[in-house]
Amino acid sequence: MLAPTALLTGMGLVSGLGLAVAAKFFAVEVDPRQEQIADILPGANCGGCGLAGCSDFASAVVAGSISPADCPVADDETAQLIAEIMGVTVEAKDPQVAIVLCQGNIDIAAKKYRYNGLASCASASLLGGGDKGCGQGCLGLADCQRVCGFDAVEMTAEGIAKIIPERCTACGQCITACPKDIIKLIPANSEIHVLCSSHEKGAAAKKNCGTFCLGCKKCEKFYGEIPQIKIDSFLALVDYNNPPTNPEVAEVCPADAIVYLPKDKQTGRYV
Amino acid sequence: MKFRGGIHPQYNKITADLSVEALPLMEKYVVPVAQHLGAPGKLLVAKGDEVFKGQPLTEAAGFVSVPVHAPTSGKIKAIKNLPHPIGIPMQAIEITPDEQDTLWDEIKPVGNWRELDPATMKSAIQNAGVVGMGGATFPTHVKLSPPEDKPIDYLILNGAECEPYLTADHRVMLEQPADVLEGVGLMMRILGVKKAVVGIENNKPDACKALQDNCPEDLDIDFVMLETKYPQGSEKHLIYALTGRAVPPGKLPMEVGCVVQNVGTAVACLEAVRDGMPMISRVATVTGSGINRPTNINFRVGTLLSDILAFCDGVNPETGKVIFGGPMMGIGQFDMSVPAIKGTSGILCLQNDEIAQFEGGPCIRCGNCVETCPMGLVPSILGLLSERFEFTEMGDNHIADCIECGSCAYVCPSHRPLVQLFKRGKVEWRVIQEKQNG
């Protein structure tokens, strides 16, 4: 009874000692700041920064190869905290969100053909650009939802993707995943959007979808001298550097492409 | 020799006995600038220009590029993006014919191929816009220019026509056997090879006999009857069946000393040299249960699909699908205003009851696809990997060697959309490789 107990205890002691020595001699030097940064990062490992995860980002910051503000998910407060740890200053960054610039749901968008294949937008778009008549329409097969690490993409019952701004962290994964390139990052406080991505001329766009921008320039003229919405080859583009504020522009649009999504001034949330 | 795998679908060659009809002049032609693999040509004409039949509309932009030509004389109405058989609108030249059908005055014979030197003939073939007419539309002069360190000892003429329904090559061999063989001789001279082999599936003995009867005495051409099996007409499988040589993965037939050309291409090469005539028309099969009058046609490149269907008395109301090419590898069309182009070997109209839409089920690991794959791949595993978006693993499992013949999907009892899964995987694998190689 005594011998096995002593033997086991002895083995434990020897191994423990070995581990203690190994920990001392083979220790990997880690900059303590790296751990501090990793602790305050969002920890979602979304890959939005282009690196493998949050600890990778932390070591890149310490190595100086990436700016503390380059984590797209972290808010301005976190960025400033990281900058403080590193002893550098970063410019204040405005929060952003992603938005799907398409309203062509199954009720209003025409289809070219019946798609019977893998439920993935990237696969569908290999077949003549997908089944939607409009070449820039949301295909509704949820590639963006699949890659979102924050559960911020909702597939509506009408078959198009919609970003939930409260959950969106602007990591940009959905933008990469979308084969139609119709998801964009915009300032989180902007309220007026052109929810169409079609550069087709009016008649062609109308054939494909019930809600479309025909490039009539009514919105551009609405703002007068310095237009906050500009037409670029038959598509109105919101100038988010100088975002439009007057909600009446939505009334001007003859095809309902411009929408006004009001936000609560205090909380910044949609009302 | 027989290649491994493959399938025996119902062949339905209902138009095999119908001779080729030339289409009348239509009211409108749409000639896409890009009709071949490689760089699209550069525009030579502008809106409003008068052009003549056979006049080049574009010029080759580089070596792997060919021009397109006006199918008839007339006026250029527009140059803009128009529907293209690949499904995406592409730049195309719309021509309104003047109904004179005047030949361009610079079209004249290049000479006798038995006397001309290969370089002259190659440039004549490129200027005539000749591309592989089997469907892949690879510029022919490129295939006829193997690098010097790759000696070629066989020219193989592909008369297999293994796609069900299609009979265009069959008709060309029956109706123009002398032209086909002269074309073979011409290509043999360009390549400097002494020996040519013609491979024909054994369901076309009449075509083989017609060629044998017309073989010029100065040419050493073998005629081989092949087993009727899909995909016998695939380049690599045809080479294996005829010579026993296996083309290594990722390599071209020239690696094993072979060049494969389609029968239609042989005729087009001959016409380019003998008559100086560019490739402005081709033979295709209009077939299927959906078309009211199945037949073989000789259409001008740029003829609208709607015009071709009208020539064949239209489609019946039960028609649910129109395919450019054959049922195995063709491309479904959703817009009847697309033009038929250089690579259009057939127009297949299927009825609704023939195109049952089904939902793909899970893989039941029966192994049918593994036994069938003529490339020796494991389609079941590749399909599962594609469904899980594991594209790097697909690459490791040799997705790049898939020829998209569809044999696996044909035998799959679970109706899995395997070819579609592989096409996606190939695209993603190419992106991954480009990233790796910088």
Side-chain angles (χ1 to χ4, degrees):
Chain A
M1 186 65 205
L2 203 65
T5 314
L7 188 67
L8 264 176
T9 314
M11 275 168 67
L13 277 173
V14 172
S15 319
L17 209 66
L19 277 175
V21 172
K24 194 81 185 163
F25 280 96
F26 301 116
V28 182
E29 288 286 330
V30 180
D31 194 317
R33 293 177 297 177
Q34 192 175 320
E35 263 174 48
Q36 283 176 313
I37 295 171
D39 280 347
I40 56 174
L41 279 170
N45 293 319
C46 68
C49 56
L51 296 168
C54 291
S55 61
D56 232 25
F57 179 80
S59 63
V61 172
V62 172
S65 57
I66 201 165
S67 156
D70 282 349
C71 172
V73 178
D75 52 12
D76 186 48
E77 202 182 324
T78 313
Q80 298 301 342
L81 274 175
I82 300 171
E84 215 170 277
I85 294 169
M86 291 301 297
V88 293
T89 53
V90 288
E91 277 183 32
K93 65 173 189 179
D94 291 328
Q96 290 189 305
V97 288
I99 188 165
V100 180
L101 299 178
C102 177
Q103 305 182 78
N105 61 43
I106 45 171
D107 298 332
I108 56 171
K111 294 217 167 185
K112 291 190 288 203
Y113 59 86
R114 193 164 42 173
Y115 177 69
N116 177 17
L118 189 63
S120 155
C121 309
S123 291
S125 69
L126 291 177
L127 291 168
D131 59 350
K132 278 253 164 88
C134 172
Q136 287 81 32
C138 172
L139 297 176
L141 296 170
D143 276 12
C144 50
Q145 190 184 42
R146 217 169 285 128
V147 296
C148 182
F150 303 94
D151 213 4
V153 183
E154 178 199 354
M155 298 309 298
T156 65
E158 293 82 33
I160 56 168
K162 207 174 162 189
I163 312 261
I164 305 165
E166 287 78 23
R167 291 186 189 163
C168 177
T169 58
C171 71
Q173 294 289 6
C174 53
I175 296 173
T176 323
C178 179
K180 295 272 129 191
D181 200 19
I182 55 170
I183 308 181
K184 300 273 183 253
L185 279 183
I186 56 160
N189 58 7
S190 50
E191 297 180 319
I192 293 164
H193 311 285
V194 180
L195 294 187
C196 179
S197 302
S198 167
H199 283 282
E200 294 275 8
K201 287 183 187 171
K206 188 177 182 182
K207 203 175 69 189
N208 292 327
C209 190
T211 314
F212 59 96
C213 171
L214 69 164
C216 67
K217 299 202 173 187
K218 277 190 179 157
C219 50
E220 194 177 293
K221 286 177 195 142
F222 177 82
Y223 287 106
E225 293 272 300
I226 310 157
Q228 290 158 315
I229 300 179
K230 283 179 194 153
I231 307 288
D232 174 37
S233 58
F234 305 99
L235 176 62
L237 297 172
V238 174
D239 181 3
Y240 284 110
N241 294 320
N242 175 25
T245 43
N246 190 345
E248 279 167 30
V249 68
E251 313 285 315
V252 170
C253 180
D256 300 333
I258 302 181
V259 294
Y260 172 57
L261 303 169
K263 287 190 171 179
D264 189 296
K265 288 280 174 297
Q266 259 93 46
T267 61
R269 298 191 163 204
Y270 289 104
V271 291
Chain B
M1 244 187 269
K2 287 179 183 178
F3 64 89
R4 114 185 238 298
I7 52 171
H8 297 280
Q10 206 177 328
Y11 282 90
N12 292 325
K13 305 249 185 193
I14 49 178
T15 51
D17 298 327
L18 304 171
S19 49
V20 175
E21 301 174 55
L23 250 60
L25 206 57
M26 299 297 174
E27 282 169 10
K28 179 176 157 185
Y29 289 93
V30 171
V31 184
V33 170
Q35 300 189 28
H36 57 269
L37 283 181
K42 280 183 287 205
L43 276 179
L44 290 177
V45 289
K47 187 181 168 182
D49 285 3
E50 297 276 347
V51 291
F52 297 101
K53 178 182 177 181
Q55 183 180 339
L57 303 173
T58 61
E59 61 177 346
F63 181 58
V64 188
S65 179
V66 289
V68 294
H69 300 79
T72 182
S73 62
K75 196 170 179 176
I76 294 178
K77 196 182 163 201
I79 299 177
K80 59 180 179 185
N81 282 357
L82 288 165
H84 188 284
I86 61 164
I88 300 166
M90 305 267 274
Q91 190 181 44
I93 300 154
E94 191 182 327
I95 297 173
T96 311
D98 59 9
E99 292 180 11
Q100 304 299 316
D101 210 19
T102 324
L103 199 64
W104 192 41
D105 51 14
E106 284 185 41
I107 290 182
K108 37 179 114 56
V110 179
N112 183 347
W113 65 265
R114 285 186 164 82
E115 289 150 17
L116 286 168
D117 71 296
T120 317
M121 291 197 281
K122 262 193 276 188
S123 87
I125 288 170
Q126 180 178 18
N127 293 337
V130 180
V131 298
M133 286 164 94
T137 63
F138 192 72
T140 300
H141 67 277
V142 182
K143 267 175 139 182
L144 293 176
S145 312
E148 278 182 16
D149 59 335
K150 301 265 190 295
I152 303 296
D153 44 18
Y154 276 114
L155 171 68
I156 291 174
L157 191 73
N158 189 349
E161 198 160 53
C162 60
E163 272 271 2
Y165 287 99
L166 302 189
T167 56
D169 289 351
H170 187 182
R171 290 313 303 181
V172 169
M173 288 188 280
L174 278 181
E175 294 179 24
Q176 297 171 277
D179 286 354
V180 170
L181 294 166
E182 289 279 302
V184 171
L186 183 155
M187 292 193 282
M188 285 166 77
R189 185 173 163 83
I190 293 179
L191 290 165
V193 299
K194 298 276 169 293
K195 180 111 197 143
V197 188
V198 182
I200 301 171
E201 278 192 343
N202 59 14
N203 57 359
K204 296 182 266 293
D206 48 349
C208 190
K209 184 161 186 311
L211 290 178
Q212 268 170 331
D213 292 348
N214 283 281
C215 187
E217 279 179 11
D218 60 336
L219 296 177
D220 181 9
I221 303 178
D222 278 356
F223 298 88
V224 180
M225 294 290 262
L226 300 160
E227 185 194 8
T228 301
K229 178 161 96 165
Y230 180 86
Q232 188 65 265
S234 149
E235 206 165 56
K236 290 177 178 177
H237 298 97
L238 190 66
I239 292 171
Y240 185 75
L242 290 173
T243 68
R245 300 175 185 178
V247 181
K251 299 283 194 230
L252 295 169
M254 61 176 72
E255 204 69 28
V256 293
C258 296
V259 166
V260 182
Q261 298 283 4
N262 171 271
V263 285
T265 319
V267 177
C269 285
L270 179 72
E271 285 173 353
V273 173
R274 187 187 61 191
D275 313 325
M277 199 61 193
M279 190 167 163
I280 54 168
S281 66
R282 71 157 293 156
V283 177
T285 307
V286 188
T287 182
S289 53
I291 192 85
N292 288 330
R293 190 170 66 87
T295 186
N296 296 294
I297 57 165
N298 188 334
F299 68 88
R300 300 190 194 209
V301 169
T303 310
L304 302 187
L305 172 57
S306 49
D307 286 341
I308 294 177
L309 295 180
F311 176 78
C312 299
D313 297 349
V315 292
N316 61 43
E318 276 302 300
T319 306
K321 195 169 192 174
V322 177
I323 301 169
F324 268 16
M328 298 302 293
M329 290 190 70
I331 306 174
Q333 300 297 323
F334 52 82
D335 190 339
M336 294 304 118
S337 67
V338 294
I341 57 174
K342 289 177 184 174
T344 309
S345 52
I347 294 165
L348 173 61
C349 307
L350 295 175
Q351 291 190 346
N352 280 317
D353 56 350
E354 292 171 311
I355 48 165
Q357 300 269 321
F358 36 71
E359 298 229 334
C363 173
I364 58 167
R365 315 233 174 202
C366 64
N368 277 1
C369 55
V370 183
E371 274 173 33
T372 306
C373 179
M375 292 305 289
L377 303 175
V378 187
S380 52
I381 297 294
L382 287 167
L384 291 167
L385 289 172
S386 183
E387 266 179 341
R388 296 201 300 249
F389 307 103
E390 291 179 15
F391 302 116
T392 313
E393 283 75 8
M394 285 186 85
D396 296 342
N397 281 283
H398 308 284
I399 184 64
D401 290 324
C402 169
I403 57 168
E404 300 173 21
C405 67
S407 299
C408 51
Y410 182 84
V411 298
C412 179
S414 205
H415 301 312
R416 289 169 62 71
L418 290 166
V419 181
Q420 201 206 358
L421 291 165
F422 300 162
K423 282 189 175 180
R424 168 85 187 277
K426 274 181 159 181
V427 171
E428 303 278 352
W429 170 238
R430 217 173 295 138
V431 173
I432 293 169
Q433 273 185 316
E434 275 166 19
K435 266 189 202 153
Q436 280 172 353
N437 302 333

